[in-house]
Amino acid sequence: MLIIKIPFIRIRNPTRTLFRKIVSYMEFREIIKDKNLLELTYIYDSNVSPKTLGDFFLIAFLIRILSQKGKKVRFIYVLDYKSNDSKDGLAEEHRKIYETLLISFNYKVEFISANEYIKNKNKFYNIIFKRYIKKDLPIYCFTYELICRFYNYFYDVNNKNFFLNETDLLTNKLVEKPFNGDKFIAWPCRYNKEYGHKRDLLRSEFILIRNLIKDIFPSIPILIISNVKGCNYYKDMEPNDGYQLYYSKDFFPKDSYLIDSYFLLCSSLIIMLRCGGISTPSLFSKIPYYITALNGCSSITSNDKLTPWSMLNKHQFFYSSEKLNKRQFKKFLKEIKIP
């Protein structure tokens, strides 16, 4: 296969979408065509991958699927050049994600330094996306498309093994379901002043969404899911009108991607505007959701559906937009019946 060294951020839709579909199709054929190919190697190179959690969640979910389908996966995690320690920083957060998603599955993980990887990279075999790995090109951007191919080939909407629920992400027995397990609405609100701050909600957007939800569901709690700084930031935005929002850090005081994801999958309805990686776990659930975001990693299945499995869920909608369509959102809320 011809490898073109073009930065992925410069490949624009629909060319980028077509390119990813072709690559994922070829990789899928390679993985399934040999029935005797039971052991695979997935190499995650921190030096050519984004420093994010949502993208890594997709990778762990892909390994989960491969393990479900009888493949033994050797997971090689290449540390970045600045670190040789797998127990600090981003590598530790990534470890928590794959250990949680893969706790019951057949896989082996190895953390290696960047220098060690360079010395031994030719010794690995049965590598997923090997054409790109050997050229030190990023492969994370193909993960979603490959997941979709496995879903379309092996699963259907009634297959419980594919979908996630809160028990898949319960990593801390001390964390209880919010509101004693009663129904609630999860509303992740991104807050990050270091990068991507334009995705943080404006006060006008925050108040608008808050009022629309409470007008239609006045007796159902709304849980704001954000980091510590975000919870404090949005608390200060609340008007003093007697209506109370709840905040994820009131239930668990530390920043934790997995705990926030767990709260998300405990909910009855998910609302997001311009959210980042926290949206990923909800895509693999059956929970009704309304998400608007500029989706840079995955192709849209239809005008209002991101994933092929959401096509059969009449209450899961994804819109590629930075802004909220008030009329559309209000209509969605009115049509939802929270169980």
Side-chain angles (χ1 to χ4, degrees):
M1 177 181 176
L2 178 64
I3 300 297
I4 303 175
K5 285 194 173 183
I6 301 176
F8 287 98
I9 57 173
R10 295 183 181 177
I11 302 178
R12 304 301 182 187
N13 284 327
T15 305
R16 179 177 58 188
T17 296
L18 178 61
F19 180 66
R20 289 174 178 172
K21 284 183 178 293
I22 293 172
V23 171
S24 67
Y25 172 74
M26 296 182 67
E27 194 64 32
F28 177 76
R29 292 261 327 245
E30 292 230 352
I31 292 173
I32 68 168
K33 70 180 180 181
D34 187 349
K35 302 299 181 181
N36 297 317
L37 184 62
L38 299 179
E39 294 190 11
L40 298 167
T41 301
Y42 190 101
I43 298 176
Y44 178 85
D45 188 349
S46 298
N47 300 286
V48 294
S49 302
K51 311 303 182 185
T52 55
L53 298 176
D55 291 299
F56 189 83
F57 192 98
L58 282 173
I59 292 167
F61 193 83
L62 173 61
I63 296 174
R64 176 186 172 104
I65 290 175
L66 293 172
S67 300
Q68 283 181 346
K69 296 299 128 188
K71 306 292 185 181
K72 181 178 180 180
V73 181
R74 183 185 183 191
F75 183 31
I76 307 297
Y77 190 107
V78 183
L79 297 162
D80 63 48
Y81 284 103
K82 298 179 181 179
S83 173
N84 289 320
D85 191 348
S86 64
K87 296 183 179 180
D88 291 328
L90 189 63
E92 173 65 7
E93 288 298 308
H94 285 170
R95 181 188 63 78
K96 293 176 183 177
I97 290 174
Y98 73 69
E99 284 186 349
T100 300
L101 285 181
L102 301 172
I103 189 171
S104 302
F105 296 97
N106 190 13
Y107 77 103
K108 178 183 178 181
V109 65
E110 299 172 39
F111 282 90
I112 62 176
S113 68
N115 291 330
E116 182 184 355
Y117 171 63
I118 291 173
K119 292 178 182 178
N120 297 288
K121 65 185 303 183
N122 292 327
K123 297 180 181 179
F124 300 119
Y125 57 90
N126 296 343
I127 301 171
I128 301 174
F129 298 118
K130 60 180 178 291
R131 301 175 185 87
Y132 296 86
I133 290 294
K134 290 183 177 181
K135 298 290 185 179
D136 295 322
L137 293 171
I139 61 173
Y140 69 93
C141 48
F142 304 123
T143 309
Y144 167 78
E145 299 291 352
L146 191 51
I147 290 173
C148 289
R149 294 205 179 274
F150 271 96
Y151 171 81
N152 289 332
Y153 191 85
F154 287 112
Y155 298 92
D156 60 63
V157 73
N158 296 315
N159 193 313
K160 295 181 180 179
N161 291 329
F162 179 83
F163 296 96
L164 295 176
N165 57 52
E166 72 271 15
T167 59
D168 294 300
L169 299 184
L170 184 57
T171 59
N172 189 334
K173 293 182 179 179
L174 297 178
V175 179
E176 298 181 355
K177 282 189 177 183
F179 312 106
N180 296 318
D182 290 339
K183 55 191 176 183
F184 69 94
I185 297 169
W187 179 13
C189 294
R190 188 182 185 278
Y191 182 82
N192 191 327
K193 292 303 180 184
E194 295 181 5
Y195 62 90
H197 64 274
K198 291 183 178 180
R199 285 189 282 164
D200 299 345
L201 293 181
L202 301 174
R203 186 179 188 280
S204 58
E205 295 172 325
F206 182 77
I207 299 301
L208 173 62
I209 295 173
R210 172 188 181 272
N211 290 342
L212 287 173
I213 297 175
K214 80 177 182 65
D215 287 346
I216 295 175
F217 300 109
S219 61
I220 297 180
I222 301 172
L223 180 66
I224 303 296
I225 298 178
S226 192
N227 55 22
V228 172
K229 292 181 178 179
C231 284
N232 293 330
Y233 177 73
Y234 291 110
K235 277 183 182 179
D236 290 339
M237 282 190 183
E238 278 205 71
N240 186 18
D241 60 0
Y243 183 80
Q244 181 184 8
L245 295 177
Y246 298 87
Y247 293 83
S248 58
K249 295 302 169 279
D250 294 336
F251 293 88
F252 188 79
K254 299 179 181 179
D255 286 339
S256 169
Y257 179 86
L258 281 174
I259 296 299
D260 285 346
S261 299
Y262 167 70
F263 290 156
L264 199 71
L265 297 190
C266 286
S267 70
S268 304
L269 173 63
I270 299 167
I271 304 297
M272 300 190 207
L273 173 61
R274 294 196 303 273
C275 245
I278 193 63
S279 65
T280 306
S282 62
L283 301 179
F284 300 108
S285 78
K286 291 189 174 183
I287 300 171
Y289 63 67
Y290 183 101
I291 301 174
T292 71
L294 286 182
N295 185 49
C297 296
S298 313
S299 59
I300 305 295
T301 299
S302 74
N303 290 334
D304 54 11
K305 300 286 185 178
L306 176 63
T307 69
W309 49 90
S310 66
M311 293 293 290
L312 297 178
N313 190 320
K314 63 180 181 179
H315 294 310
Q316 288 186 335
F317 294 97
F318 185 101
Y319 296 97
S320 183
S321 173
E322 287 189 326
K323 296 182 179 180
L324 182 75
N325 184 318
K326 180 180 177 181
R327 180 180 297 178
Q328 180 190 77
F329 180 57
K330 193 172 182 179
K331 181 176 181 291
F332 167 81
L333 293 176
K334 287 183 176 180
E335 292 178 352
I336 285 289
K337 292 182 180 179
I338 295 181

